[in-house]
Amino acid sequence: MNSTPISHNYYPPWITLPHYTPNESTVISLITRFGLQWGFVLSASFFLIGRLRPTASLSDRIAFTWMCLTGFIHLFFEAHFVINHKTLAGGQALFSQLWKEYSLSDSRYLTSDAFLVSMEAVTAFAWGPLAFLIAYCIAVQHPIRHALQIIISTGQVYGDVLYYATSLLDESYCRPEGYYFWFYYFFFNFIWMVVGCYYVKESVVEIWRAFEKLQAFEIERKKD
C-alpha cells in the first residue's frame, strides 16, 4: 500500500519530506527569540572587549563583536543543521524551526543536499572556532590576527559565491514570493559577502603597511 505524501509549502513542490511536521511557533516568535540571542551576543561582546582592552579603537571593538556573533552563528546555529540535517524537517527545537522557516527560501536544507551539508560543516567547525580565535587575537593584540582574518573572510565570501551559484544556476528551491528570495535568501547571506570583503581589504592593507615598514627599516639598517 502506498503511503500518502506529506504536504508542505516548499519548492519545488515535488520534493519528498517524509519526516516533515509544521513549525509549532509563529514566525514572529522565532525571529524574536533568535533576534534576542543576537542582541545578547552583540551587547555582551561589546561590553567584554571594553573590559579586556579599554584602549581598543572603535573599529577593533566592532571587529571583536562581529567575530563573536559570526562565531556563535557558525558554531551553534549552522552546526545544528549539520548534526541534525537528516531529521531537521520534523524538528521542533528553536534552531530546527528557524531552519525550516529559512528553507522556504532554499528547500535543499531539508533534503540533506550534499553540497550544503559539506559547506555548512566547513563553516560550522572551521570558521566557527576560527572566529572566536580571531576575537581573542583582537583582545590581546596578537600579530596573527590579520592573517587569520583574511582566511576566514575569504572562506566566507567564497562559500557564499558557491551557495548563490549552485542555487541560481539550478532549478528554483525558493518559494515564488519575493520576501523569501530577497530577505531570507539574498539579504541574510549577502551580509557575510559585504563584511567578508571589508575585512579582507582591511587585513590586506594592514599586512601591506607592516611589510612596508619592515622594508623601510631594512633599507635604513643597510645604509647604516
Side-chain angles (χ1 to χ4, degrees), residues 67 70-71 74-75 119 121-134 148 151-157 159:
M67 289 301 168
T70 197
H74 290 339
L75 193 55
M119 182 195 71
V122 172
T123 301
F125 302 118
W127 304 153
L130 185 56
F132 286 117
L133 177 58
I134 294 169
L148 297 179
I151 293 172
I152 190 173
S153 299
T154 301
Q156 289 171 331
V157 172

Side-chain angles (χ1 to χ4, degrees), residues 38 110 124 161 191 206:
W38 279 43
L110 299 186
V161 169
I191 292 173
E206 288 298 323

